[in-house]
Amino acid sequence: MDPQLTEVSQLFERFKAAFVRKDFDNCTNLLSQLKVLLTKFRSLPPLFENTPNAVNELLLAREIYEHAVVLSVKIEDQDAFERDFFQLKPYYTDAGSRLPPSQQEYLILGLNLLRLLVQNRIAEFHTELELLSPTALENPCIKHAVELEQSFMEGAYNRVLSARQTAPHETYVYFMDLLAKTVRDEIAGCSEKAYDYLSINDARQMLLFSSDPELVEYVKEEHPEWEVKNGSVYFQKAKESAPCKEIPSLQLINQTLSYARELERIV
């Protein structure tokens, strides 16, 4: 075996051993070293040179970047996820015809869809979806993300939260928890605009918590401007603290009339 390939393979075995031990700090350091070593392989993107060990190098690099993506989820680093995913993607697209299918491909593509949904990048979500094959769309990992997006857009937030129990893989739980927070923040924002106060029972049901202590903890951490007293959650304090902006109605009327006169001249 090529000495460089052997060196990378041995270092990757150390990375995987640290990953199993959940020694993620060591994994991060080893991953940095692996990425530097991979730059010496001219068979990898973007060069794709047809070297004697091209297939083995591509397979090894693909597996390294797949582990990198999963590691970024474990350490809850969305920026690292995005970087590692885009480094991995050419191995599924440009080099896909030269390599056997990866068992992790649909899992990671589904994770990326979830990330885009959590970050509310809906246009990019649908762009990525358009690039997938009909076979990929039938995969449980992809279907899970698609169904979540549909529920989110329909406002069926109870389905979004309950989907955590049916996540196709443990790595999905991180993004599902972030999505649950996004959903609750959306409901909370609407609630404080629509009501002066709600009973704790109604607020708990509306924010989709299973117990009162969970609701109280959420209010304490996320909405300290709310008040919980006498069995109710009061939003009035939040409304009072919000600055009221005066609408310059006379100025708007004058501008509208000016536009109307200009249009009349043009016609």
Side-chain angles (χ1 to χ4, degrees):
M1 185 183 289
D2 180 73
Q4 285 186 348
L5 192 58
T6 302
E7 183 184 5
V8 175
S9 299
Q10 290 175 347
L11 191 62
F12 186 41
E13 289 302 318
R14 287 174 54 195
F15 171 92
K16 288 191 286 187
F19 191 87
V20 171
R21 296 194 308 269
K22 297 185 178 180
D23 184 0
F24 298 136
D25 288 338
N26 193 23
C27 284
T28 302
N29 292 331
L30 291 171
L31 181 61
S32 298
Q33 296 176 45
L34 285 166
K35 287 182 176 180
V36 171
L37 291 173
L38 288 177
T39 60
K40 299 177 182 178
F41 295 155
R42 300 185 65 81
S43 61
L44 304 186
L47 299 176
F48 288 114
E49 289 188 8
N50 192 21
T51 60
N53 293 312
V55 172
N56 289 332
E57 290 168 358
L58 285 165
L59 283 171
L60 181 59
R62 184 178 71 181
E63 190 178 357
I64 288 171
Y65 284 120
E66 286 175 339
H67 276 75
V69 168
V70 176
L71 175 64
S72 68
V73 175
K74 295 289 186 181
I75 62 176
E76 301 182 356
D77 188 339
Q78 293 187 53
D79 291 334
F81 182 101
E82 186 164 8
R83 288 194 304 271
D84 293 328
F85 176 78
F86 281 118
Q87 287 177 304
L88 171 63
K89 196 175 179 182
Y91 295 88
Y92 294 151
T93 53
D94 301 334
S97 59
R98 302 173 61 186
L99 303 175
S102 169
Q103 294 183 348
Q104 301 297 314
E105 180 175 358
Y106 295 142
L107 167 70
I108 288 173
L109 291 175
L111 276 172
N112 184 55
L113 290 173
L114 260 187
R115 176 185 65 87
L116 294 173
L117 188 56
V118 165
Q119 295 176 351
N120 203 27
R121 293 159 65 175
I122 304 301
E124 291 175 64
F125 178 96
H126 286 283
T127 300
E128 290 292 327
L129 214 56
E130 290 294 326
L131 298 174
L132 298 179
S133 66
T135 304
L137 294 173
E138 291 301 314
N139 185 274
C141 292
I142 306 298
K143 287 177 72 174
H144 182 78
V146 172
E147 289 167 3
L148 267 176
E149 190 267 346
Q150 290 172 346
S151 298
F152 192 70
M153 291 299 104
E154 291 169 8
Y157 295 144
N158 59 327
R159 292 210 304 265
V160 173
L161 295 185
S162 63
R164 187 185 191 278
Q165 310 303 321
T166 59
H169 193 268
E170 61 170 347
T171 51
Y172 279 55
V173 172
Y174 166 60
F175 286 119
M176 292 300 299
D177 288 344
L178 289 178
L179 191 59
K181 183 182 181 305
T182 300
V183 164
R184 287 197 174 98
D185 289 346
E186 186 76 18
I187 297 171
C190 294
S191 298
E192 67 181 12
K193 297 287 190 302
Y195 304 100
D196 288 336
Y197 68 91
L198 284 171
S199 70
I200 285 182
N201 186 51
D202 289 341
R204 175 175 54 77
Q205 292 180 5
M206 188 169 289
L207 289 166
L208 307 169
F209 285 111
S210 57
S211 67
D212 291 351
E214 286 181 330
L215 170 65
V216 173
E217 186 66 21
Y218 173 77
V219 172
K220 187 186 300 181
E221 291 184 359
E222 303 295 334
H223 294 279
E225 73 277 10
W226 295 358
E227 284 188 291
V228 180
K229 63 181 182 180
N230 303 326
S232 297
V233 179
Y234 288 84
F235 308 119
Q236 194 62 38
K237 185 179 175 184
K239 290 182 178 180
E240 289 171 357
S241 62
C244 294
K245 293 184 178 179
E246 185 178 342
I247 299 174
S249 53
L250 187 59
Q251 182 182 349
L252 290 173
I253 291 170
N254 287 332
Q255 285 180 349
T256 304
L257 290 173
S258 175
Y259 295 151
R261 283 194 295 271
E262 291 298 324
L263 279 172
E264 189 176 348
R265 290 175 187 169
I266 294 170
V267 173

